[in-house]
Amino acid sequence: MKVKVDIDTKTFVRFLLVVTGFVAVILAIWKLWTALMIVAIAAFLALALNPPVSALASRLPGHSRVLATAVAYVFMLAVIGVFIYIALPPIINETNRFIASLPEYIQDLSNKKGVIANLINTYNLQPQLDQLVAGAQTQAASLAQGVGSSLVTGISSILSGFVTMLTVLVLTFLMLIEGPVWMERLWSLYRDAAKLVRHQKLAIKMYKVVTSYVNGQVLVASIAAAAGLTVLLLLTYFFPQLPASAAIPLTGLIFITDLIPMIGATIGAVIVTAVIALNDFGAAIVFVIYFVIYQQIENNFIQPLVQSRTVALSALSVLVSVIVGISLLGLVGGIVAIPVAGCIRVILIDYMEHRRRKPEPSKQRLWHKLVAKAAAND
């Protein structure tokens, strides 16, 4: 049995144009992916910083948004500068002390003394250590040859990252200044008053999702910093080789890295563990044990609970959104996954409520017939 399908030229051309346009959009997104990510990050930062900037602008003479944004930027840079000033010297000093003590550590290993040597002897790891040393000696020449290219690549990556960060900061600054003006222009394009009110309410709800997410993440990072400070102070008491002056900068590092959901705490813990290990290996082991326990509590209880309250998402939705975001976009995806999921939830709820309020087509037709009949009788 043969089935003949007739498609007119107009329909075929429309289908071809739709497919071509879809492919063109995909190619454009692929080509502009880096630029789009920079703009998206700047927009996210602008939304997060808008509440304090708006509050500050309302209190300044002339309600200058430019001045409020500049003050907020100066304050942010000052906080970062103070943190670097406090955190960098202890890290540099401990690194130098470790380098100076490295011959002593090697001598202790040779004499089979010290904590590491005891672990090696207890678990019979000497053959593996000898094999590791032999492999390192074999690779020494090739590593030395690659130092130059690695250094150039590292410097290039640092410069590229600095340029990207500067671009994001400039875009964020301009978005904070011009954002309200652009929103007014957007709303002025509407001709349907009902649709305008609906979309304005929708935009406000999505804006609150982003700001609530930022507030919630700051709360999560504060909890992590408070717990980390307590543990670090206890470590400085029980392990005298760990200086108490390192507790504050390491706590600040924990707070900053924990602003990244789910994986930020791991990044901070790796750095903090490395700094502690330069002073006392036993203290580093204790901190790793603490971190593994705390990480499970934060990822499975604190983070989902806080964000489910602030973004109005269930704990399961928070975990699923972060996992999907990290799988798709890596670190950036993990950061924006929760607010994006919250905004999608707001859009879906608004759509369903709008559909429920909208009359059914049959009822609309009946209403039009009644109106037409009444007009004809008049």
Side-chain angles (χ1 to χ4, degrees), residues 19-96:
V19 173
T20 304
F22 181 77
V23 173
V25 169
I26 296 297
L27 290 176
I29 292 175
W30 180 70
K31 285 287 186 181
L32 300 174
W33 182 250
T34 303
L36 292 176
M37 291 303 300
I38 291 175
V39 173
I41 294 172
F44 179 77
L45 291 176
L47 288 173
L49 294 175
N50 187 62
V53 169
S54 300
L56 185 60
S58 63
R59 290 171 173 78
L60 290 175
H63 304 291
S64 175
R65 192 170 180 85
V66 177
L67 182 59
T69 306
V71 171
Y73 260 58
V74 170
F75 177 77
M76 182 178 64
L77 294 175
V79 170
I80 295 174
V82 170
F83 171 75
I84 292 175
Y85 176 78
I86 295 175
L88 216 56
I91 294 176
I92 294 175
N93 293 335
E94 297 308 320
T95 303
N96 291 334

Side-chain angles (χ1 to χ4, degrees), residues 26 118 122 151 157 198 200 245 253-254 274 288 316 329 377:
I26 296 297
N118 292 335
T122 302
L151 183 61
S157 300
R198 178 194 168 196
Q200 284 180 335
S245 59
L253 183 64
I254 293 172
V288 168
L316 177 61
L329 301 176
N377 292 332

Side-chain angles (χ1 to χ4, degrees), residues 228-292:
L229 178 62
T230 303
V231 173
L232 288 171
L233 291 176
L234 290 174
L235 289 177
T236 59
Y237 178 78
F238 289 103
F239 298 89
Q241 292 185 358
L242 183 64
S245 59
I248 299 300
L250 292 179
T251 301
L253 183 64
I254 293 172
F255 174 80
I256 292 175
T257 55
D258 208 79
L259 292 174
I260 305 172
M262 300 298 179
I263 62 174
T266 303
I267 298 173
V270 170
I271 300 174
V272 172
T273 302
V275 174
I276 295 176
L278 297 179
N279 295 271
D280 194 299
F281 192 75
I285 294 177
V286 174
F287 183 81
V288 168
I289 296 173
Y290 149 75
F291 167 73
V292 170

Side-chain angles (χ1 to χ4, degrees), residues 65-376:
R65 192 170 180 85
V66 177
L67 182 59
T69 306
V71 171
Y73 260 58
V74 170
F75 177 77
M76 182 178 64
L77 294 175
V79 170
I80 295 174
V82 170
F83 171 75
I84 292 175
Y85 176 78
I86 295 175
L88 216 56
I91 294 176
I92 294 175
N93 293 335
E94 297 308 320
T95 303
N96 291 334
R97 194 171 72 86
F98 174 76
I99 293 174
S101 304
L102 189 59
E104 182 181 349
Y105 294 153
I106 295 175
Q107 185 65 32
D108 288 342
L109 285 176
S110 301
N111 298 331
K112 297 185 178 180
K113 296 189 301 183
V115 177
I116 299 178
N118 292 335
L119 290 174
I120 292 173
N121 294 330
T122 302
Y123 295 100
N124 298 320
L125 300 177
Q126 191 63 43
Q128 289 82 352
L129 179 63
D130 294 338
Q131 185 178 0
L132 180 63
V133 172
Q137 292 174 347
T138 304
Q139 296 294 329
S142 59
L143 289 175
Q145 292 176 358
V147 167
S149 60
S150 299
L151 183 61
V152 173
T153 304
I155 294 175
S156 176
S157 300
I158 292 173
L159 291 176
S160 176
F162 177 77
V163 171
T164 302
M165 182 182 67
L166 186 62
T167 304
V168 169
L169 291 177
V170 171
L171 283 174
T172 304
F173 188 88
L174 295 175
M175 287 179 180
L176 285 170
I177 295 174
E178 300 182 11
V181 177
W182 282 101
M183 291 304 299
E184 289 297 329
R185 292 175 180 174
L186 175 63
W187 301 134
S188 65
L189 297 176
Y190 280 77
R191 294 294 177 263
D192 188 338
K195 186 176 290 186
L196 172 63
V197 173
R198 178 194 168 196
H199 289 179
Q200 284 180 335
K201 290 181 179 179
L202 185 62
I204 291 173
K205 290 178 181 179
M206 295 171 67
Y207 171 72
K208 288 182 178 179
V209 165
V210 176
T211 54
S212 299
Y213 163 75
V214 173
N215 295 333
Q217 199 58 38
V218 170
L219 177 60
V220 172
S222 301
I223 295 173
L229 178 62
T230 303
V231 173
L232 288 171
L233 291 176
L234 290 174
L235 289 177
T236 59
Y237 178 78
F238 289 103
F239 298 89
Q241 292 185 358
L242 183 64
S245 59
I248 299 300
L250 292 179
T251 301
L253 183 64
I254 293 172
F255 174 80
I256 292 175
T257 55
D258 208 79
L259 292 174
I260 305 172
M262 300 298 179
I263 62 174
T266 303
I267 298 173
V270 170
I271 300 174
V272 172
T273 302
V275 174
I276 295 176
L278 297 179
N279 295 271
D280 194 299
F281 192 75
I285 294 177
V286 174
F287 183 81
V288 168
I289 296 173
Y290 149 75
F291 167 73
V292 170
I293 297 173
Y294 177 80
Q295 180 74 354
Q296 298 304 314
I297 296 174
E298 179 181 293
N299 286 353
N300 297 287
F301 178 72
I302 299 176
Q303 179 89 27
L305 180 62
V306 171
Q307 293 298 357
S308 64
R309 298 289 180 85
T310 56
V311 190
L313 287 173
S314 66
L316 177 61
S317 301
V318 171
L319 286 173
V320 170
S321 62
V322 172
I323 293 172
V324 173
I326 293 176
S327 300
L328 291 177
L329 301 176
L331 181 61
V332 176
I335 295 175
V336 302
I338 297 175
V340 167
C343 291
I344 293 174
R345 172 185 174 275
V346 169
I347 294 173
L348 290 176
I349 291 176
D350 177 80
Y351 174 77
M352 290 186 292
E353 291 179 350
H354 180 69
R355 292 288 297 177
R356 281 197 294 266
R357 290 195 299 266
K358 188 176 180 180
E360 296 179 3
S362 59
K363 293 181 179 179
Q364 285 184 335
R365 289 194 295 268
L366 178 60
W367 171 253
H368 288 313
K369 288 181 180 179
L370 293 174
V371 170
K373 185 176 181 181

